[in-house]
Amino acid sequence: MLKKQHITNQSRIFTALILTSILSVSSGLTLIKNATANPVNFSPATTNEVYADKSKPNRLPPSVTNAVLKDLASRVGISTSELQVIDYSQKTWRNGCLELPQANEFCTQALVPGWLVVVSNGKQKWTYHTNNNGRSLRLAGANNSSQNKLPKQVREGVLQQAQEVSGLSGRSLSILNFQATDWSDGCDRSTPLYPCDPIVVSGWQVTVGAANQRWVFLSDKDGSRIKLSQNESSTNTAKPIPTSELPPPLDQGVVFRQISSGGFAGRTYQTVLLNDGSLIRVRIGDANDSERSVRRVSRQQLQQFQQLLQRTRGEFRNLSYPAPIGAADYITYTLTSRDGTVQYNDIAQNNLSQNLQLVIKAWSEISNNQATDNTPKVVPIPKSELPPPLDQGVVFRQISSGGFAGRTYQTVLLNDGSLIRIRIGDANDSERSVRRISRQQVQELEQLLQRTKWDFRNVSYPAPNGAADFITYTLTSQTGTVQYNDISQNNLPTKLQRVVTAWNQLSANSQ
């Protein structure tokens, strides 16, 4: 009996297992049938999403996918069903513009977590920048060509330059915009009267931002040549001059005043125009008043300048146009009329308004010319009278001749800092002197000559007719030659006067 009961129990257990298996299979078939028979209306977040996304640690939120596809479909005029997300990655954008600012748009400097999403219709690709939920998104443009992708070496090189220019850390800086462009850099070759032909560089214009400041850089295609674009940088915005830094108002009888300071020499000069046409220039801090000069302009010139000041009076609003951060060796000009003051520098001059540039041009013409029939003119130096070009290793040369003694001296500066002076015609070489200046002083002069190379155009500023016993100076750089005399020195362009002043200081302070 016990054996029979044991067999019966085994039969019951076996039967239960078979029934359980049949029910499981039946249930499974029902689930499969339901799954295939009821294809619910999947959103584009599922059907249009990249298939490989399961391998990624973080999936693209459906809200982001829907927003991107809907935006692109409306832009290109196709159905969302024709579009597919083919790639995506999590990003942290460096500003509120998602690193894709519009023209003249200032972006909040805040980190924005989000996504970079690539969409395709099988023929073309588009790249989007979005925030976390897709409510904020921006189209980066068609990404089917390399022209819309900034090379990594350019990006890194520009950000490195931006750190040096701004003095900020890399975390504070971000690339706001970039575009392919051609720009001019340096010189290709020299021709008479024209210092050089510009070299055209194909590359990129890249805008870097931090807080409310921007810097525009120019780079070649691979980032090996990068420079700050002075004309495009938006850091030269006008700022109010603090009341404590405003110069005093004009004295009675004064029409206009210019104060120039800084530059290579670091001296400060003041030039005032009086209502009788007198033009008086002094160096502030010159105890002996040895550099004072007094000239006159014609009554007609004076009246024309006063009329221009009246038309542009709205520009003198006690504002300053500062130089870009990191700029050095520039001259600051403070112009004061009866209506107020404006301050700028030789780097930011091109960013001034057209009216201010008209005033500066008119003032330059007045201050650099005398109202007499024998006003010095700029004339080309005949080729037969040009001195020989500089020998290898020579940075600069001055030849002085004439004067009461009538002797001719030549002084050359070598790139090792040697300053050699001889008297031409001295058979015994008895007046030779060799002195030295520091390597830093040589480099500073070379930088100044580079910035003023356009003024060495093989031209002469002759003395007025009838002048006598003057000394003629012939200056030669690697770019060309300029000639003037101690009478016409004050009529030289400002940049050339800077070279003359710097050269005289080096000659006087050499050991």
Side-chain angles (χ1 to χ4, degrees):
M1 288 292 292
L2 290 175
K3 183 176 180 181
K4 183 177 181 181
Q5 186 178 358
H6 177 69
I7 294 173
T8 302
N9 289 337
Q10 284 184 336
S11 299
R12 289 176 180 174
I13 294 173
F14 180 73
T15 303
L17 289 174
I18 292 176
L19 291 174
T20 302
S21 299
I22 293 173
L23 290 174
S24 297
V25 172
S26 176
S27 175
L29 291 173
T30 303
L31 289 175
I32 293 174
K33 180 180 180 180
N34 288 338
T36 56
N38 297 295
V40 295
N41 292 328
F42 288 116
S43 68
T46 303
T47 57
N48 297 68
E49 200 166 307
V50 60
Y51 295 117
D53 60 8
K54 293 182 180 180
S55 64
K56 297 192 175 185
N58 298 305
R59 293 196 62 183
L60 186 66
S63 60
V64 174
T65 305
N66 288 333
V68 168
L69 295 178
K70 184 177 179 181
D71 180 83
L72 183 57
S74 63
R75 288 175 182 269
V76 298
I78 60 177
S79 171
T80 56
S81 61
E82 299 178 49
L83 300 172
Q84 183 179 6
V85 175
I86 62 172
D87 195 14
Y88 64 86
S89 59
Q90 279 191 306
K91 294 287 184 179
T92 299
W93 309 116
R94 297 187 180 185
N95 54 59
C97 297
L98 309 179
E99 298 186 19
L100 292 173
Q102 303 297 321
N104 301 320
E105 179 183 17
F106 282 95
C107 308
T108 57
Q109 299 300 298
L111 298 179
V112 180
W115 299 86
L116 184 147
V117 184
V118 181
V119 181
S120 175
N121 63 352
K123 299 179 181 179
Q124 192 174 0
K125 297 178 184 178
W126 294 268
T127 300
Y128 273 84
H129 294 190
T130 81
N131 66 349
N132 263 341
N133 57 19
R135 291 181 181 178
S136 176
L137 55 82
R138 299 202 176 197
L139 176 64
N143 201 23
N144 58 344
S145 65
S146 61
Q147 67 178 5
N148 292 299
K149 185 176 181 181
L150 188 66
K152 179 180 178 181
Q153 58 269 35
V154 174
R155 176 183 292 271
E156 293 176 349
V158 166
L159 289 175
Q160 179 63 36
Q161 287 275 17
Q163 290 183 54
E164 297 176 4
V165 169
S166 65
L168 301 175
S169 66
R171 294 183 178 180
S172 303
L173 300 166
S174 61
I175 292 180
L176 302 179
N177 200 2
F178 61 89
Q179 63 182 30
T181 188
D182 292 332
W183 50 278
S184 299
D185 182 47
C187 300
D188 185 19
R189 56 190 174 85
S190 297
T191 54
L193 297 184
Y194 299 95
C196 64
D197 296 326
I199 299 174
V200 177
V201 179
S202 295
W204 300 89
Q205 176 180 296
V206 185
T207 303
V208 178
N212 63 343
Q213 293 180 303
R214 289 186 181 185
W215 298 267
V216 178
F217 292 87
L218 297 172
S219 169
D220 59 1
K221 290 183 177 180
D222 58 7
S224 61
R225 180 187 301 178
I226 300 174
K227 74 172 186 178
L228 178 67
S229 174
Q230 297 173 357
N231 293 337
E232 297 294 337
S233 180
S234 61
T235 57
N236 293 326
T237 55
K239 299 179 180 179
I241 302 174
T243 305
S244 59
E245 298 179 12
L246 282 171
L250 299 181
D251 294 332
Q252 187 175 1
V254 178
V255 175
F256 193 74
R257 178 182 64 215
Q258 174 189 276
I259 299 175
S260 63
S261 60
F264 184 83
R267 295 185 174 184
T268 301
Y269 291 88
Q270 176 179 278
T271 307
V272 295
L273 175 63
L274 307 184
N275 54 16
D276 65 355
S278 299
L279 197 67
I280 305 173
R281 182 177 186 264
V282 299
R283 179 166 68 85
I284 297 177
D286 182 10
N288 299 322
D289 204 19
S290 58
E291 295 188 41
R292 173 183 290 269
S293 66
V294 180
R295 291 176 288 157
R296 295 186 67 85
V297 301
S298 69
R299 188 62 187 172
Q300 180 181 3
Q301 284 180 303
L302 176 63
Q303 291 177 345
Q304 290 175 344
F305 187 64
Q306 287 176 311
Q307 292 170 0
L308 177 60
L309 291 177
Q310 182 63 25
R311 293 196 302 271
T312 58
R313 58 186 304 177
E315 302 289 343
F316 290 84
R317 297 175 292 142
N318 299 335
L319 296 177
S320 173
Y321 295 81
I325 295 176
D329 293 337
Y330 57 84
I331 298 179
T332 298
Y333 298 95
T334 304
L335 309 181
T336 302
S337 71
R338 285 289 172 187
D339 297 292
T341 293
V342 65
Q343 193 174 77
Y344 71 99
N345 53 77
D346 49 1
I347 296 178
Q349 181 172 338
N350 290 334
N351 296 317
L352 300 179
S353 68
Q354 185 175 2
N355 283 340
L356 275 178
Q357 294 197 38
L358 288 174
V359 172
I360 293 170
K361 181 180 179 181
W363 173 250
S364 178
E365 291 175 354
I366 287 177
S367 57
N368 289 332
N369 291 282
Q370 299 180 18
T372 57
D373 292 337
N374 58 356
T375 300
K377 305 293 183 181
V378 180
V379 297
I381 302 175
K383 289 185 179 181
S384 59
E385 298 179 13
L386 280 172
L390 299 181
D391 295 332
Q392 187 174 0
V394 177
V395 175
F396 194 72
R397 178 181 64 213
Q398 179 195 72
I399 299 175
S400 62
S401 59
F404 184 80
R407 294 185 175 184
T408 300
Y409 291 89
Q410 175 179 279
T411 307
V412 296
L413 173 64
L414 306 185
N415 55 17
D416 64 355
S418 299
L419 201 65
I420 305 173
R421 181 176 185 265
I422 61 171
R423 179 167 68 85
I424 296 177
D426 181 11
N428 299 323
D429 203 20
S430 58
E431 295 188 40
R432 174 184 290 268
S433 66
V434 180
R435 292 170 291 168
R436 295 189 65 84
I437 62 174
S438 68
R439 182 58 189 164
Q440 179 181 354
Q441 289 176 304
V442 175
Q443 291 176 343
E444 289 174 348
L445 181 64
E446 287 178 320
Q447 292 171 358
L448 177 60
L449 292 175
Q450 178 66 20
R451 294 195 299 271
T452 58
K453 60 186 178 182
W454 300 103
D455 291 290
F456 287 82
R457 298 176 292 135
N458 298 336
V459 295
S460 173
Y461 297 81
N465 294 333
D469 294 334
F470 57 83
I471 299 177
T472 297
Y473 298 95
T474 303
L475 308 181
T476 302
S477 69
Q478 293 291 345
T479 306
T481 292
V482 66
Q483 194 174 74
Y484 71 98
N485 53 76
D486 48 2
I487 297 178
S488 65
Q489 178 174 341
N490 288 334
N491 297 311
L492 296 178
T494 303
K495 290 184 178 181
L496 272 180
Q497 292 191 31
R498 294 170 62 187
V499 173
V500 172
T501 300
W503 173 253
N504 290 339
Q505 287 182 336
L506 289 180
S507 302
N509 296 330
S510 58
Q511 299 178 354

